[in-house]
Amino acid sequence: MASSEARPKKPAPRSLTDRDMAILDFEREWWQHPGAKEDSIRQVFGLSGARYYQVLGALLVSEAALAYDPMLVKRLLRIKNERSSNRQARISPESAKNSDES
């Protein structure tokens, strides 16, 4: 039994479209799809990987997405922020070093 079947669906906030909810649901369970994630994105949504991540990024700052699946949105935001911090540290090690000291 897939995890989406075991958990009852939450009522969708009005401002999320069906595609928005499908993207959040996909992001929660993408690892269950066979093959590469990028291939699944193209097959399921008809979007390039870059466009998918643009749409997902916009969803993550949406109150409606937070209401729809708070654990997923908070986890993805935490990962996004960690990656951004790591990227900034690689680009500008001095600024990362200074922020560690404060």
Side-chain angles (χ1 to χ4, degrees), residues 76-88:
L76 293 176
L77 284 172
R78 186 179 68 248
I79 292 168
K80 180 181 174 184
N81 290 336
E82 287 171 1
R83 288 180 179 166
S84 179
S85 294
N86 290 341
R87 189 177 315 112
Q88 185 60 39

Side-chain angles (χ1 to χ4, degrees), residues 85 88-102:
S85 294
Q88 185 60 39
R90 286 192 308 270
I91 293 170
S92 178
E94 298 81 29
S95 65
K97 189 177 187 180
N98 291 339
S99 67
D100 288 342
E101 293 172 357
S102 45

Side-chain angles (χ1 to χ4, degrees), residues 1 24 28 32 39 48 51 82 100:
M1 178 180 255
L24 292 170
R28 184 183 329 104
Q32 295 178 353
D39 294 338
S48 69
R51 181 64 186 139
E82 287 171 1
D100 288 342

